[in-house]
Amino acid sequence: MAITAVLPFSARSSSKCKTVDLHEQSEDLDTIANNSFADDLPLGLAWEKLLQALLRVTFAEYASDLAKIRGAVQMAALSLRRDPRLLKVPPYFSALCVVVGIVWLFLLPLNEYSRQTYISENALLPGQVHTYFGGSEQSVYNAYRYEIQALEGHEYEDVSAKVSEIFTSIGLKVASQRFNYQAAGNVYTGENVYSILHAPRGDATEAIVLVAPWKNMDGEINRSGLSLVLTLARYFKRWSLWSKDIIFLFTADSNAGPQAWADAYHDAHDVRDVQSLTLKSGALQGVVVVDKAFDHRFESLHVVYDGVNGQLPNLDLFNTIVSIASGQMGIGVSLQRMWKHADSYKERLQTMLRGMASQGLGHVSGPHSSFIAYHVDAVTIQAVGEGWQDEMAMGRVIESTFRSLNNLLEHFHQSFFFYLLMQANRFVSIGTYLPSAMLVSINFTIMAMSLWVQSGRPASKNPLQRNEKSPVPEMEIIKKDNMVAMVPKEDVAVLERHLFHPLALVSGLHFLGAVPLYIFNNTNQTNLLLALLLFTISNLLLPTFLSTLLSHYLPTTRQQRQLIKCFSLLLLGMFLATLSTLNFSLGFLIGILSFPLSFFGTASPTDLEDTTNNNNPLPSTSTNWSFKNLLVNLVLHALSPPVVFNAGCHLAGVGASEVLAQAAFGWRVSGLWTQVVVWCIWWPAWLVGAVFVSPTLW
């Protein structure tokens, strides 16, 4: 087939496209030449017609050759789409995605991929006001500190009564709230005391909160922090510039108390456990928690910002505090317990990884975490180290921060809610770091697609093993989109997929995750360690038991095993991709720990022999105790959720029962759903992969 292309030399000339052959049309050229140089035609027009004729012939020949080449390429492409050798590509492409995703993450601390922090909300004006906290307020602070120290060792009721008395003496409205939670056999009870400073220039529609827990996250009495908040309450009462109400909150602890108050403030509490609030103000615009458990001077401020389930406050709040502390007050700021930071690549990476670990756990990192779930931006400010900064300097930081929050015209919204901090003045936004988690997640989808294609093809001999002595396979002509190709008939055959058993098994294993979820959230703390030990042992034996069941009592075909693994990897990739947009760190960490599942327990296309049919039950694997199989089993069991959990607790130097008790409290009180991801997404996917590499019992 040939195509004629015509390129006119002038607007006057035009011609219809038609097929021309150079040898067959040689006589027509003489005729065209004679007609072109006829006596009645001008010489210029004659040459133009002759050149047009020559171009028609030349371009027609080239177009014909190009059409033939294009047809051959299309035939080759159509044949290639049906070539089983293409199924060898997905594992390598999947591994490449994981490698690129990991490399991407380690590039983030570089200057080319991270940015300097900046204030997006112009109304904040951080550090633009003169602070007056100090001087005579030092004497007031010392007086309050002596009164608070005298309460140490007393019943908690005495402490809350004294705080209420002080708030009343300042001239503020005071109220209290009792709560009583039970989780993992432990009882969390106490009383919150709070007071409201109504804004002289406001209408009680907005409020900011200053919190001081009686005990901080380390269990230490926050005597200096509470004394400073009481001093600031007395100091703020004298100012008439406030346009937002200020709520001073004193909680019994750093976990249950703030959560009870935040739930009750937003009417999301259970009246059987938490008492309703008698005093309320407007919508909360920001929360600052003060934590200073020692009496000596401090060196720097440590800002804690992680919320429950990986939620983060608006970056503008963090940047405001850093700008005020380091810029206006000359106080150093640290984060993620990186007390010394030289802004090198190593320290940036270490800070970022620590933040990812904290965010991935999704635990309560401070009293502020209870507020972030209600879209209230909150942070905890801790005084750390030994230096020359005193309580008045910390008070001036809080005063300037509240003056900036007082300037807000609307809720925090301009800056980022998804970010990774690697230094107090450097961050990475979601648009830069998210591709790394997505690349890790997509490797599961790639392998799932490969297994789906394999499951629809009959078991055939590897094309690379065919030689001259092999019988010529039966060929079939296929047509698609005007393309024609001849391929072996066995390469285009499609088997019927039996989906019921694979879907039922994968769904059943995911619902099976509710068993450990219930056990670890409803067991007393005294029995949690025993429950973890028993579950870890049973988890080592469960894959072998299920493998025996599938081989002897519920025989599965090769196709069914491919579909089981296909659906498992597809769900894992889908869940992790979605999770990464909400909690990037948790999605990335589980993706890295799970990526061997894409390669272990998956039938390779080269393993499909002529003697094996995809729809015949697979033989028993009871004798499959080769070194390779043992090594694969060892790797998978080392990456199982119980083993990873125990190893993480050992490396962190914390007790497993204590971590499980805190997780149970988070599930019961804070709405923590990290356990759901572990037991209902990660563990079922691991179990499917472990079953297909575990030998049977007999």
Side-chain angles (χ1 to χ4, degrees):
M1 180 174 61
I3 302 175
T4 300
V6 178
L7 182 63
F9 275 79
S10 66
R12 295 177 301 168
S13 60
S14 61
S15 176
K16 296 183 179 180
C17 297
K18 63 179 182 177
T19 303
V20 180
D21 186 272
L22 182 61
H23 299 287
E24 295 178 356
Q25 300 296 330
S26 57
E27 296 180 359
D28 293 340
L29 291 176
D30 296 335
T31 305
I32 293 173
N34 294 331
N35 294 335
S36 300
F37 290 95
D39 296 335
D40 57 343
L41 285 178
L43 184 60
L45 183 60
W47 277 108
E48 181 179 346
K49 288 195 172 191
L50 180 60
L51 288 175
Q52 279 188 342
L54 291 174
L55 285 173
R56 271 201 302 270
V57 175
T58 305
F59 279 103
E61 182 182 32
Y62 289 160
S64 177
D65 293 340
L66 289 176
K68 293 178 181 178
I69 294 174
R70 186 179 65 176
V73 171
Q74 290 176 343
M75 292 176 61
L78 186 58
S79 302
L80 186 62
R81 290 171 57 184
R82 303 283 184 171
D83 196 330
R85 287 173 291 189
L86 277 181
L87 297 178
K88 297 177 64 178
V89 176
Y92 299 102
F93 188 52
S94 178
L96 178 64
C97 288
V98 176
V99 172
V100 173
I102 296 175
V103 173
W104 191 300
L105 183 73
F106 281 85
L107 290 176
L108 296 180
L110 298 176
N111 289 332
E112 292 78 7
Y113 300 94
S114 58
R115 290 189 281 175
Q116 288 281 347
T117 57
Y118 56 92
I119 302 293
S120 299
E121 181 57 67
N122 295 326
L124 287 170
L125 299 174
Q128 299 300 311
V129 298
H130 183 73
T131 56
Y132 299 93
F133 186 75
S136 61
E137 305 302 330
Q138 180 72 58
S139 301
V140 177
Y141 167 81
N142 292 333
Y144 285 144
R145 185 179 62 181
Y146 292 143
E147 294 190 51
I148 297 300
Q149 286 178 342
L151 296 173
E152 295 184 22
H154 288 64
E155 294 294 332
Y156 180 75
E157 288 74 10
D158 298 335
V159 178
S160 60
K162 185 62 178 178
V163 173
S164 299
E165 179 185 342
I166 294 175
F167 279 136
T168 303
S169 66
I170 294 174
L172 302 175
K173 293 182 179 180
V174 186
S176 61
Q177 174 207 32
R178 298 197 64 84
F179 60 89
N180 189 339
Y181 292 117
Q182 293 184 0
N186 299 324
V187 178
Y188 303 84
T189 184
E191 184 179 23
N192 297 324
V193 178
Y194 65 102
S195 64
I196 300 178
L197 170 61
H198 291 289
R201 310 174 73 176
D203 54 359
T205 58
E206 296 177 335
I208 46 184
V209 186
L210 185 60
V211 184
W214 175 244
K215 291 185 178 180
N216 61 15
M217 291 298 293
D218 297 327
E220 302 172 337
I221 296 179
N222 186 26
R223 63 177 73 89
S224 297
L226 178 57
S227 303
L228 182 59
V229 169
L230 293 174
T231 308
L232 285 168
R234 182 179 180 273
Y235 174 75
F236 288 165
K237 181 70 168 58
R238 305 202 308 263
W239 287 87
S240 61
L241 52 82
W242 304 111
S243 61
K244 294 177 175 59
D245 291 352
I246 301 178
I247 301 176
F248 303 95
L249 174 61
F250 165 66
T251 62
D253 58 11
S254 295
N255 203 341
Q259 188 66 52
W261 194 88
D263 290 343
Y265 194 89
H266 295 89
D267 295 324
H269 63 295
D270 188 343
V271 295
R272 295 171 297 179
D273 302 327
V274 178
Q275 184 180 359
S276 299
L277 301 181
T278 57
L279 289 179
K280 283 189 179 182
S281 181
L284 303 183
Q285 301 299 305
V287 177
V288 176
V289 181
V290 182
D291 181 2
K292 186 176 184 296
F294 49 82
D295 297 326
H296 58 78
R297 293 172 177 260
F298 65 93
E299 179 184 8
S300 61
L301 295 177
H302 180 244
V303 181
V304 186
Y305 56 91
D306 303 294
V308 180
N309 297 323
Q311 294 175 290
L312 300 174
N314 190 272
L315 190 57
D316 266 348
L317 178 59
F318 178 87
N319 292 339
T320 298
I321 296 175
V322 172
S323 176
I324 292 172
S326 60
Q328 184 181 13
M329 305 299 172
I331 304 175
V333 178
S334 59
L335 61 153
Q336 302 299 340
R337 296 185 177 272
M338 291 289 294
W339 314 125
K340 302 294 182 181
H341 202 299
D343 201 24
S344 63
Y345 172 83
K346 179 181 178 181
E347 290 167 329
R348 286 185 185 181
L349 179 63
Q350 188 176 356
T351 304
M352 183 184 70
L353 294 179
R354 285 189 178 189
M356 289 180 59
S358 178
Q359 184 186 28
L361 292 175
H363 66 301
V364 176
S365 60
H368 67 280
S369 300
S370 304
F371 295 90
I372 298 180
Y374 293 101
H375 197 51
V376 178
D377 303 291
V379 295
T380 294
I381 301 178
Q382 295 177 328
V384 295
E386 293 188 15
W388 58 276
Q389 303 289 350
D390 61 359
E391 298 79 8
M392 297 299 101
M394 190 172 186
R396 285 191 291 272
V397 172
I398 297 173
E399 177 192 358
S400 186
T401 301
F402 270 58
R403 294 282 296 275
S404 292
L405 295 176
N406 190 58
N407 294 335
L408 276 178
L409 301 177
E410 51 189 334
H411 198 81
F412 279 111
H413 69 283
Q414 296 228 11
S415 191
F416 297 93
F417 287 96
F418 299 94
Y419 51 87
L420 292 177
L421 286 170
M422 52 195 63
Q423 198 254 352
N425 295 306
R426 201 156 197 90
F427 78 106
V428 176
S429 64
I430 184 173
T432 306
Y433 67 71
L434 188 60
S436 60
M438 289 300 178
L439 285 170
V440 175
S441 301
I442 202 175
N443 95 89
F444 302 108
T445 306
I446 293 172
M447 292 303 299
M449 295 169 62
S450 174
L451 288 168
W452 175 263
V453 174
Q454 292 182 38
S455 66
R457 293 189 175 185
S460 59
K461 200 173 189 61
N462 183 3
L464 297 178
Q465 297 177 351
R466 293 172 182 162
N467 50 46
E468 297 178 356
K469 299 181 180 180
S470 301
V472 178
E474 184 179 356
M475 307 298 287
E476 179 176 339
I477 298 176
I478 57 175
K479 298 180 180 180
K480 185 175 179 64
D481 299 332
N482 297 325
M483 296 184 293
V484 181
M486 183 177 293
V487 296
K489 190 174 183 179
E490 60 186 14
D491 292 346
V492 298
V494 178
L495 294 178
E496 180 183 0
R497 296 180 175 92
H498 303 281
L499 304 179
F500 177 76
H501 287 92
L503 286 174
L505 181 61
V506 173
S507 301
L509 290 179
H510 278 79
F511 282 111
L512 185 64
V515 174
L517 181 65
Y518 178 84
I519 291 175
F520 292 119
N521 287 330
N522 294 275
T523 303
N524 290 340
Q525 185 174 356
T526 54
N527 300 324
L528 277 175
L529 197 59
L530 177 61
L532 178 62
L533 178 62
L534 293 177
F535 182 80
T536 303
I537 295 175
S538 63
N539 192 66
L540 294 174
L541 303 176
L542 186 59
T544 300
F545 171 76
L546 291 178
S547 179
T548 304
L549 185 66
L550 292 177
S551 297
H552 296 280
Y553 300 101
L554 295 172
T556 55
T557 64
R558 183 183 298 274
Q559 183 194 72
Q560 289 176 332
R561 294 203 172 198
Q562 290 170 338
L563 289 174
I564 291 171
K565 193 66 181 294
C566 168
F567 294 146
S568 177
L569 292 178
L570 187 64
L571 286 175
L572 181 61
M574 179 182 66
F575 284 136
L576 292 185
T578 305
L579 176 64
S580 297
T581 61
L582 303 175
N583 189 339
F584 163 81
S585 302
L586 182 59
F588 184 84
L589 292 174
I590 292 183
I592 293 299
L593 293 172
S594 303
F595 86 88
L597 299 176
S598 298
F599 310 100
F600 295 158
T602 304
S604 172
T606 58
D607 296 334
L608 305 178
E609 301 294 338
D610 289 328
T611 58
T612 304
N613 193 296
N614 258 16
N615 290 323
N616 290 336
L618 290 178
S620 172
T621 58
S622 58
T623 58
N624 191 13
W625 288 100
S626 63
F627 174 77
K628 176 182 177 181
N629 188 265
L630 289 175
L631 182 61
V632 169
N633 273 275
L634 180 63
V635 171
L636 282 185
H637 281 287
L639 295 177
S640 66
V643 175
V644 171
F645 173 77
N646 283 284
C649 292
H650 177 73
L651 293 176
V654 296
S657 61
E658 181 182 352
V659 175
L660 290 174
Q662 289 296 322
F665 175 83
W667 170 265
R668 169 73 176 80
V669 178
S670 306
L672 181 66
W673 42 254
T674 304
Q675 301 99 309
V676 178
V677 177
V678 172
W679 299 120
C680 297
I681 297 177
W682 179 18
W683 183 65
W686 173 88
L687 194 55
V688 170
V691 165
F692 289 158
V693 298
S694 297
T696 59
L697 294 174
W698 59 83

